[in-house]
Amino acid sequence: MFYWWGVIASFCGCGTLWFSFYKFGGCTVEQGCSRTSLVHHIIAMVLGMMTHYQYAEAIAEDASFAPNDQFPLAVALQHFNLGYFLYDTCHVIIWDRKWLLHHTVAIAGYSTSEISNVFGLANSVNTWITELGSLMYSAYLVLRTEQSYIGFVSLYSLTRLYLLYWCYEVLSQVWNAFQGKSKHTFPDWAPYCAATLQLLLVIVNITFLMTHYRKLWKRYVKGEMPKKGE
């Protein structure tokens, strides 16, 4: 079982990786963050897909309220993600505060899942869906080409459509829990927390997507040149 030491290992590993990119790889602070994020996106996406495949039956039945401790791979992924987001929040607070809400929602989702011992499977599905699009964003930040930007926005759009579908599935499971149809036990506050954080996750992601739609509109319809750093 991948216990809480996994959070510390993930935090230290991500920090060490960033430091290596920055100190020895000739990267700027931003480039080091982008490359570290890219590594996280790849690992988290693969682990998320593996979790979905391995526990597909349990996810289809009740991903929101099946006990986390019955699914060690989901717990490992959750601890890995917690360590990464705690590490990256340090950078966000100092250099890139527009991500603070996103990271706060992510940390809240993983932390409350750990406290309640539920929602780990649902978080696993959330992970691979969101990381698939985020992987393209990190790739764009590394490449900084028009082709990579268009590819990122296109793939991000498709993954967020699936995220909307998955949100519907989660809310359906929450509704069943409110009606007493879930066979699992969980704290009374867990369904409220699950619904709220799932909706916040969708809102944050759709808001981010709309920002890039506006950028594409300005570039290719209005003919405005992108600002430096975009």
Side-chain angles (χ1 to χ4, degrees):
M1 180 68 77
F2 192 64
Y3 290 103
W4 278 101
W5 61 264
V7 179
I8 300 172
S10 176
F11 180 91
C12 294
C14 291
T16 301
L17 187 60
W18 172 82
F19 183 78
S20 299
F21 282 131
Y22 176 68
K23 189 70 174 179
F24 307 113
C27 295
T28 64
V29 169
E30 182 183 6
Q31 289 170 339
C33 289
S34 297
R35 283 161 173 73
T36 303
S37 294
L38 184 60
V39 173
H40 165 261
H41 295 327
I42 294 171
I43 296 174
M45 183 186 69
V46 171
L47 286 176
M49 289 179 170
M50 288 173 59
T51 303
H52 197 163
Y53 177 78
Q54 183 168 339
Y55 307 126
E57 185 175 343
I59 287 173
E61 181 182 352
D62 197 356
S64 299
F65 301 105
N68 293 353
D69 52 20
Q70 295 181 9
F71 310 100
L73 188 56
V75 174
L77 172 59
Q78 189 145 277
H79 289 183
F80 172 67
N81 281 330
L82 257 176
Y84 166 76
F85 278 107
L86 289 171
Y87 140 80
D88 202 49
T89 298
C90 298
H91 290 281
V92 166
I93 291 173
I94 299 170
W95 290 298
D96 202 4
R97 293 180 184 174
K98 68 175 181 289
W99 291 102
L100 191 57
L101 175 60
H102 173 273
H103 282 34
T104 300
V105 172
I107 292 171
Y110 296 130
S111 300
T112 54
S113 174
E114 288 296 316
I115 294 169
S116 62
N117 195 38
V118 296
F119 211 67
L121 288 178
N123 277 337
S124 298
V125 179
N126 282 329
T127 294
W128 78 254
I129 295 172
T130 54
E131 296 301 349
L132 185 57
S134 298
L135 180 62
M136 282 300 300
Y137 184 64
S138 287
Y140 161 68
L141 291 178
V142 171
L143 298 172
R144 293 288 186 179
T145 65
E146 286 299 304
Q147 291 80 5
S148 64
Y149 184 68
I150 294 172
F152 147 65
V153 175
S154 300
L155 184 56
Y156 199 90
S157 299
L158 291 175
T159 57
R160 271 48 189 178
L161 284 174
Y162 190 79
L163 181 62
L164 287 173
Y165 162 75
W166 178 241
C167 181
Y168 169 78
E169 290 293 315
V170 169
L171 294 179
S172 296
Q173 293 173 4
V174 169
W175 178 251
N176 288 336
F178 279 133
Q179 294 184 315
K181 295 180 180 179
S182 176
K183 67 180 182 181
H184 304 292
T185 58
F186 43 82
D188 292 339
W189 53 266
Y192 298 97
C193 190
T196 300
L197 290 171
Q198 186 68 34
L199 288 171
L200 281 174
L201 178 66
V202 170
I203 291 170
V204 168
N205 277 266
I206 295 302
T207 301
F208 182 68
L209 177 60
M210 295 308 297
T211 297
H212 289 282
Y213 278 158
R214 286 193 292 270
K215 289 182 180 180
L216 283 176
W217 176 267
K218 290 179 180 179
R219 288 189 194 187
Y220 297 107
V221 177
K222 291 188 174 182
E224 297 180 9
M225 294 296 293
K227 297 178 182 179
K228 185 178 180 180
E230 289 189 346

